[in-house]
Amino acid sequence: MHTRSHFGDLASQTTKRLMLSLALTAAFVMVEVIAGIIGNSLTLLTDAAHNFTDVIALGLSWYALKIATQPANAGKTFGYHRVGILVALVNSTTLILIAIGISYEAYRRLLSPPEVDSVILIAVGALAFFINAGTAWLVKTGSEHDLNLRSAFLHLMGDVISTLGAVLAGIIIYFTKWNWLDPLVSVLIGGFILWNAWSILRQSIHILLESTPENIDMQEMVEKIHTVGGVRGVHDLHVWSINESLRMLSAHVVTDDISISDGLAIQQKINELLAHRFNIQHATLQMECEDCEHGLLYCEIKGMHAKHVR
């Protein structure tokens, strides 16, 4: 109960920070749109578009975090932890689409660079930089171990880099009149956004496909399990993630023909090994004696109709 209460307190604090970040970002979107139109700056309009998706991303992240605190039930026996992964998938996909759109418009403007009001670009860009940096700082806590929060944090950090680039471009344009720097900076910003979004998208898909966590060496795991006293073999092994930090395992463990209490002692040792060495806190182990029929180490799961195929 203490752990659940502590988790609830952390979730409550995080949702409050997300809502504050959302409000600040939404208010500033209108400022940047107006300034971008008046100053004829693609960089400011680009950042405004990115800020608008930040509003959506922060809203989705807030909703996912709120839903994830709900307990498991008969319909959702694993709870709602995967909601955050779905949000991370949506956020990263929107980031990729934005980056493509930015690059296309920047290419058109590079061919015929319009005149840019550098003073507006510098002033609004500087204000945006401090607002984006502040909102990113609010969301950063917990993003290291939560893909949902990290996708929102990357949205905001993309804005920090965007506005910093806008300010630098504005300063150079002010002294040199090199208006082509405005769309060029947008291209660089789009590349940065695309590079970060791809890592989030790839990891989201990896988890949704129930792939083995990337930092788990399955051969090492099997070898470690075999070192536990009483273990004669292991098969039908599955390891996957519910979210970025919650890992699951199921396996059949072969032992001698021993009593239930002796088998329980082996189970406890394996669970301790999995928790301390591989950070797997939830393992389902089926104990079998050596005379049982063994399967493959990684069993192939087939539908019931496969049994009728000849």
Side-chain angles (χ1 to χ4, degrees), residues 134-204:
T135 54
W137 176 77
L138 287 171
V139 177
K140 184 178 186 299
T141 302
S143 63
E144 301 88 350
H145 308 292
D146 189 307
L147 199 61
N148 170 32
L149 287 178
R150 190 153 72 253
S151 68
F153 176 66
L154 283 178
H155 260 276
L156 295 170
M157 280 305 298
D159 280 339
V160 173
I161 301 299
S162 299
T163 50
L164 179 61
V167 172
L168 294 176
I171 293 173
I172 296 174
I173 291 171
Y174 180 80
F175 289 105
T176 65
K177 304 303 180 182
W178 292 348
N179 291 302
W180 51 267
L181 273 177
D182 183 66
L184 179 61
V185 167
S186 292
V187 171
L188 297 176
I189 291 169
F192 172 80
I193 294 171
L194 186 62
W195 182 73
N196 283 283
W198 173 249
S199 67
I200 296 293
L201 179 64
R202 185 180 61 82
Q203 194 166 0
S204 299

Side-chain angles (χ1 to χ4, degrees), residues 284-304:
T284 302
L285 304 174
Q286 178 174 319
M287 310 302 288
E288 300 175 349
C289 64
E290 282 198 292
D291 293 333
C292 295
E293 181 180 353
H294 299 167
L296 301 173
L297 177 57
Y298 310 116
C299 71
E300 183 179 358
I301 301 175
K302 297 181 179 179
M304 291 299 294

Side-chain angles (χ1 to χ4, degrees), residues 9-160:
D9 292 340
L10 288 176
S12 177
Q13 294 171 14
T14 304
T15 52
K16 288 178 181 178
R17 291 197 302 271
L18 282 172
M19 287 303 295
L20 178 58
S21 297
L22 190 153
L24 289 172
T25 304
F28 193 68
V29 165
M30 296 308 298
V31 174
E32 266 193 321
V33 168
I34 294 171
I37 293 173
I38 294 174
N40 198 26
S41 171
L42 177 60
T43 299
L44 283 180
L45 291 175
T46 292
D47 194 52
H50 192 195
N51 268 321
F52 179 70
T53 63
D54 288 343
V55 174
I56 298 174
L58 288 168
L60 288 173
S61 294
W62 170 82
Y63 177 75
L65 194 64
K66 185 177 180 180
I67 291 295
T69 61
Q70 296 186 10
N73 53 56
K76 299 288 186 298
T77 56
F78 277 120
Y80 294 83
H81 299 285
R82 280 277 173 90
V83 174
I85 304 302
L86 289 174
V87 167
L89 180 68
V90 172
N91 285 346
S92 57
T93 302
T94 58
L95 278 171
I96 290 174
L97 294 175
I98 288 168
I100 293 173
I102 289 171
S103 299
Y104 174 74
E105 182 61 24
Y107 171 74
R108 291 201 320 115
R109 290 205 175 197
L110 276 171
L111 296 177
S112 180
E115 186 176 350
V116 176
D117 190 327
S118 58
V119 175
I120 292 179
L121 180 58
I122 295 170
V124 178
L127 179 60
F129 174 79
F130 288 109
I131 290 178
N132 290 327
T135 54
W137 176 77
L138 287 171
V139 177
K140 184 178 186 299
T141 302
S143 63
E144 301 88 350
H145 308 292
D146 189 307
L147 199 61
N148 170 32
L149 287 178
R150 190 153 72 253
S151 68
F153 176 66
L154 283 178
H155 260 276
L156 295 170
M157 280 305 298
D159 280 339
V160 173

Side-chain angles (χ1 to χ4, degrees), residues 193-268:
I193 294 171
L194 186 62
W195 182 73
N196 283 283
W198 173 249
S199 67
I200 296 293
L201 179 64
R202 185 180 61 82
Q203 194 166 0
S204 299
I205 294 174
H206 186 80
I207 292 174
L208 290 173
L209 289 177
E210 298 191 340
S211 305
T212 303
E214 293 178 343
N215 59 350
I216 287 185
D217 185 331
M218 294 298 286
Q219 182 176 349
E220 179 191 4
M221 176 184 289
V222 172
E223 291 174 353
K224 292 292 184 183
I225 293 175
H226 275 90
T227 63
V228 175
V231 173
R232 298 290 177 261
V234 59
H235 61 97
D236 286 0
L237 177 62
H238 303 280
V239 182
W240 71 102
S241 299
I242 298 299
N243 58 29
E244 192 175 20
S245 58
L246 182 58
R247 297 171 173 179
M248 317 291 286
L249 177 145
S250 68
H252 293 205
V253 179
V254 181
T255 67
D256 294 325
D257 191 0
I258 56 179
S259 66
I260 294 177
S261 59
D262 289 337
L264 179 60
I266 295 174
Q267 276 186 308
Q268 290 174 339

